[in-house]
Amino acid sequence: MLSFLTILPMNNQVIRTDKAPAPVGPYNQAIAATGPFLFVAGQIPLDPVTGEIVSGEISTQTEQVMANLEGILTAAGANWSNVVKTTVFLSDLANFGAMNQVYARYFPPETAPARACVEVARLPKDVLVEIECIAALA
């Protein structure tokens, strides 16, 4: 597994792993900030091996997004229980129920993170879902 840390000013660290797609723009997969917090960039349903969009319905795309997030959390030494905030971007709020069924498998209701969910006009590569998160590191 390829993972590495890069030290940034103010003790922030870049988190990168091959268990999630490489950034395709001016951002990193995640930043571990002094606090310590981990700020994970929005993940779309890109297969980290092929670099291709995982096609299919919202549930299939949400599964890939969650796998990408999990790969980044793991590379930073964290897991789902460390996540304190998520933001979900949907291309159509009609997909909320199906997305939420997949999402709920990762977060028990009693410890689920704070969350915002919004419909947007368009997402990168015309995907159906993008999710970002913030984790508190031990």
Side-chain angles (χ1 to χ4, degrees):
M1 173 173 86
L2 171 67
S3 294
F4 65 90
L5 300 175
T6 302
I7 304 299
L8 297 176
M10 299 175 57
N11 298 320
N12 291 347
Q13 296 178 331
V14 172
I15 306 296
R16 291 189 184 166
T17 178
D18 60 352
K19 299 297 181 193
V24 294
Y27 63 91
N28 285 293
Q29 291 171 319
I31 300 293
T34 304
F37 294 99
L38 177 70
F39 296 85
V40 182
Q43 295 298 301
I44 62 174
L46 277 175
D47 181 310
V49 175
T50 66
E52 299 295 321
I53 296 295
V54 173
S55 61
E57 298 179 356
I58 186 69
S59 57
T60 303
Q61 289 198 6
T62 303
E63 286 285 358
Q64 184 63 55
V65 168
M66 298 304 278
N68 295 344
L69 290 169
E70 187 170 46
I72 295 167
L73 290 168
T74 301
N79 59 50
W80 294 114
S81 68
N82 296 101
V83 176
V84 296
K85 172 71 168 83
T86 64
T87 305
V88 179
F89 304 94
L90 294 173
S91 63
D92 185 347
L93 273 177
N95 288 326
F96 179 82
M99 177 281 301
N100 202 48
Q101 283 185 320
V102 173
Y103 179 97
R105 293 198 311 257
Y106 294 84
F107 300 110
E110 61 277 359
T111 59
R115 178 177 76 181
C117 182
V118 297
E119 178 179 295
V120 295
R122 192 171 180 196
L123 289 166
K125 299 187 177 276
D126 294 317
V127 299
L128 303 175
V129 60
E130 178 175 349
I131 303 174
E132 64 181 20
C133 72
I134 300 171
L137 301 177

